[in-house]
Amino acid sequence: MRSDRHTNCRKEDLLLYAVTDRSWLNGETLYAQVEKALKGGVTFVQLREKALDEQAFLEEAKEIQKLCEQYHVPFVINDNVEIAAQIGADGVHVGQSDMEAGDVREKLGPDRIIGVSAQTVEQAVRAQERGADYLGVGAVFPTGSKADAVEVSHETVRAITEAVDIPVIAIGGITKDNVSELSGTGICGIAVISAIFAQTDIEGAARVLKERTEAAVK
């Protein structure tokens, strides 16, 4: 563990991390839904698109980047390092099967945020060594948002937060009703999809989730 480790993102920015999903647009634009989430207190936004073509993804990324800048909230792209580099996004989040953190760092440079998904202590330590700025660990609860999600016990989450000195957020199946169960694991925040974007009152859902997460990570 290296306590002098420099990181490009602040722990407080990772408190309530929203990952976008087009599944619940119901006639709204993703932009409008992200703005509601930001009004509700979301502190970090990841644009996640698995089905859009590159040009549509690029245009959408530029729009949501501007929106996040207005709210002074970090904005990262899921997986697509090329688009992150092209628009000068704050960073990128990659999974274990995507581009390795060291290669991402070479492409994006020293000042961008790199997040890496991890399910084990070994993966977490390796990601930190390769230059990750934060880790997304999960799934900490059963989740329907990711078909290939592996469940990670709360004991493993605690072991990961003790093994690294970069910020760790929990992801996977987190709701306003179970977030308190993560208390004491050492995480600095949570990443959610449906707990915000599948709710009828997105702004209100974000507000409640933020309050409960603040209590859980104290």
Side-chain angles (χ1 to χ4, degrees), residues 14 17 19 46 93-96 115-128 132-143 146 149-164 166-174 182 185-192:
L14 291 161
Y17 182 126
V19 181
Q46 179 193 130
H93 186 94
V94 292
Q96 285 294 316
V116 176
S117 300
Q119 284 80 41
T120 66
V121 170
E122 291 73 25
Q123 288 175 355
V125 170
R126 185 167 67 246
Q128 174 174 274
D133 291 296
Y134 74 87
L135 300 170
V137 175
V140 293
F141 297 106
T143 174
K146 250 190 131 200
V150 177
E151 273 195 58
V152 176
S153 72
H154 297 176
E155 289 71 30
T156 300
V157 177
R158 193 177 298 109
I160 287 172
T161 62
E162 288 169 357
V164 299
I166 54 176
V168 175
I169 56 173
I171 188 167
I174 302 168
L182 296 166
T185 57
I187 59 166
C188 67
I190 61 167
V192 292

Side-chain angles (χ1 to χ4, degrees), residues 22 46 48-53 57 78-79 98 146:
R22 308 182 73 78
Q46 179 193 130
R48 183 171 182 259
E49 290 290 3
K50 297 297 186 184
L52 279 190
D53 66 64
F57 190 173
N78 177 271
D79 292 353
D98 303 313
K146 250 190 131 200

